[in-house]
Amino acid sequence: DSAVSAVGNETYSGTLQNRTSDPPRIPRRLIFTHNYNLLNPSETDGDPPFNAKDPLTANVLHTIEIYQKFWNASDAEAKLRSKQHPNKKEIMTEKEEIEDVVFLADDDCMKLVHKAEPRLVKLFSHERFGRWKADICRAAYLYLHGGYFFDTDVGVIKPVDFDALDIPAAVPDVVGELRLKGDKLNNPRIIPEEDDIVTFSTVYNRQGQFHQAFTAAMPGHPVMKRSLEYMVAFYKGNFGEVLPARIIQDLLRANNNFIPSKENAKGMALGSYTLYVAFRTTSHKEWEEYVRGLMEDHGYTSAHESKKSHGDIFAKRRYARYLYEISLDDEEVTRLGLWADVPRQGAGFVRRRSFCNNVCFAGRQVYFYSRVPDSRPGPCPIEPNFV
């Protein structure tokens, strides 16, 4: 984990003059998980042969290609800026490829879980629900190594550029983000400063919960660490013993006096729920300490006198960015006349077609389809016999 220093109630601010390298960033690493490696299947393990036309495989390849192009272009732009500003040349990097593409199968996940949260090892090995195994593996990898995690069926329309996203509202809201027009009185937009680094990102859905099909984080993030701890509580059914009383009351009010567990989940997803609760319970001080350690590791020193820093904004807002999930067919999208140019996806089974047209956006930009049509049973099936 990154080294941290206690900072009390102070907020961290860094300056260009006091740094020796670029600000820390989420590693340029794309992470996927499946019951076998779609990109490099194992014949000895009985995996199906590689098939670039398989819908999920083709989608993963598309995600890799589009991010490769985006990150290469952004590096070329940085190199150009370094030539325009010779005094900053020493802090600019050369062109970088994607640092890694990681495809995690069960054996890989077991090793990660053992290292990240040993109490989950036995629970992971006995779990038969593939999505929950993926949730555990996702959290373990992001905590240990960081990167950009995508479900294999997330359809990338445009890669997320965190530099283009505003600091989120105090209470993130899908419809509020949809209506955001830069109104300084009713919908103030807060443009990040350079030291408002992005350490964590995921998607808010219409219900105000996390949709973790896309999640990005820096290594050692306190939210990811706590989400693993809460997964243990989810399986043991003892959230009441580990959560602060005020959080328990909030969760009970939000979920009809119900706290989910392995034995009584009532449709709650293991990963999304524990990630959301971990975010709620991780303090601003913990975020500040974590970011302070990252900044100092990258050559920054504290400069609390900085006039440009958003030191009056809570750390969870400064150091996180969000996308928001909504259906292209939502009445609010129609009322505002948005995204008529974004193609609608079809599905063989009409009642499931709406799932195919959920998208993840920020501001007025659509970045992903939440799901792409797939030949397997799921939220957006190609074949009509999947219900």
Side-chain angles (χ1 to χ4, degrees):
D1 299 357
S2 299
V4 298
S5 302
V7 293
N9 292 323
E10 295 178 328
T11 53
Y12 180 82
S13 170
T15 65
L16 282 174
Q17 291 78 11
N18 292 335
R19 74 177 186 176
T20 58
S21 65
D22 283 332
R25 69 176 184 204
I26 296 173
R28 289 179 172 177
R29 179 180 299 119
L30 299 178
I31 308 147
F32 307 92
T33 185
H34 196 64
N35 60 330
Y36 69 93
N37 189 330
L38 293 172
L39 303 181
N40 187 25
S42 170
E43 185 176 345
T44 58
D45 291 339
D47 298 341
F50 174 79
N51 178 8
K53 295 183 179 180
D54 168 73
L56 288 187
T57 304
N59 188 59
V60 169
L61 292 171
H62 169 74
T63 300
I64 294 169
E65 179 184 14
I66 201 167
Y67 266 89
Q68 181 78 75
K69 290 179 179 177
F70 169 63
W71 282 330
N72 283 349
S74 65
D75 285 330
E77 183 179 341
K79 192 172 182 180
L80 176 62
R81 286 199 306 269
S82 73
K83 292 180 179 179
Q84 295 170 342
H85 303 281
N87 61 315
K88 297 182 182 179
K89 194 168 185 178
E90 71 278 1
I91 62 173
M92 295 298 177
T93 58
E94 295 297 318
K95 176 180 175 181
E96 295 179 72
E97 301 295 317
I98 292 179
E99 293 165 359
D100 246 333
V101 175
V102 178
F103 215 109
L104 302 169
D106 278 2
D107 289 345
D108 308 305
C109 292
M110 182 66 77
K111 296 174 185 176
L112 292 164
V113 173
H114 186 271
K115 186 174 181 180
E117 176 49 88
R119 292 177 297 172
L120 282 171
V121 169
K122 188 174 181 180
L123 301 170
F124 178 86
S125 64
H126 291 163
E127 181 58 64
R128 293 294 174 262
F129 188 30
R131 291 181 185 176
W132 284 14
K133 297 189 83 166
D135 288 346
I136 297 171
C137 189
R138 171 196 295 113
Y141 192 94
L142 288 175
Y143 172 62
L144 292 172
H145 304 293
Y148 292 65
F149 179 92
F150 287 88
D151 277 357
T152 53
D153 56 356
V154 169
V156 176
I157 298 171
K158 179 182 176 69
V160 174
D161 179 2
F162 289 133
D163 291 340
L165 303 187
D166 295 338
I167 290 177
V171 181
D173 171 67
V174 171
V175 174
E177 179 71 14
L178 199 66
R179 295 171 178 169
L180 188 64
K181 297 180 181 179
D183 185 311
K184 293 185 181 299
L185 179 62
N186 299 312
N187 291 301
R189 299 185 64 178
I190 303 176
I191 309 301
E193 299 289 349
E194 188 168 14
D195 56 345
D196 297 327
I197 63 171
V198 183
T199 67
F200 175 80
S201 181
T202 191
V203 182
Y204 267 97
N205 64 20
R206 200 69 151 83
Q207 293 72 43
Q209 302 290 325
F210 284 168
H211 171 58
Q212 59 161 8
F214 166 75
T215 304
M218 288 191 185
H221 201 289
V223 169
M224 301 312 306
K225 178 178 177 60
R226 191 155 296 168
S227 72
L228 290 163
E229 296 170 355
Y230 287 168
M231 286 179 177
V232 177
F234 186 94
Y235 273 93
K236 291 185 175 181
N238 66 342
F239 260 126
E241 299 174 17
V242 299
L243 293 178
R246 62 177 181 81
I247 295 294
I248 292 176
Q249 293 304 314
D250 287 348
L251 295 174
L252 288 171
R253 281 193 295 269
N255 296 298
N256 298 316
N257 292 316
F258 169 69
I259 300 290
S261 66
K262 162 68 175 175
E263 300 303 323
N264 191 17
K266 289 190 177 179
M268 290 287 187
L270 168 67
S272 295
Y273 186 78
T274 53
L275 186 66
Y276 176 73
V277 176
F279 175 82
R280 289 284 309 276
T281 58
T282 306
S283 70
H284 298 292
K285 180 179 178 180
E286 288 175 278
W287 281 65
E288 289 290 0
E289 291 177 345
Y290 174 71
V291 170
R292 183 182 181 90
L294 290 172
M295 291 298 226
E296 291 179 349
D297 286 348
H298 281 71
Y300 280 69
T301 60
S302 183
H304 297 291
E305 71 279 7
S306 173
K307 295 181 180 179
K308 291 185 178 182
S309 174
H310 292 129
D312 58 335
I313 299 176
F314 283 136
K316 287 184 183 182
R317 294 176 63 192
R318 290 184 65 191
Y319 306 129
R321 302 290 182 272
Y322 300 111
L323 302 184
Y324 304 84
E325 185 188 41
I326 199 166
S327 171
L328 291 173
D329 301 320
D330 189 282
E331 60 182 15
E332 193 67 21
V333 174
T334 302
R335 187 184 72 80
L336 293 170
L338 296 174
W339 305 321
D341 59 331
V342 178
R344 269 52 176 175
Q345 298 186 122
F349 191 66
V350 175
R351 284 172 52 200
R352 286 296 182 93
R353 195 164 293 163
S354 62
F355 287 91
C356 300
N357 289 307
N358 285 351
V359 294
C360 302
F361 74 96
R364 294 299 178 93
Q365 177 65 55
V366 172
Y367 290 96
F368 311 142
Y369 291 108
S370 297
R371 297 285 182 267
V372 294
D374 180 27
S375 60
R376 281 152 278 215
C380 182
I382 293 174
E383 300 298 331
N385 56 315
F386 293 138
V387 296

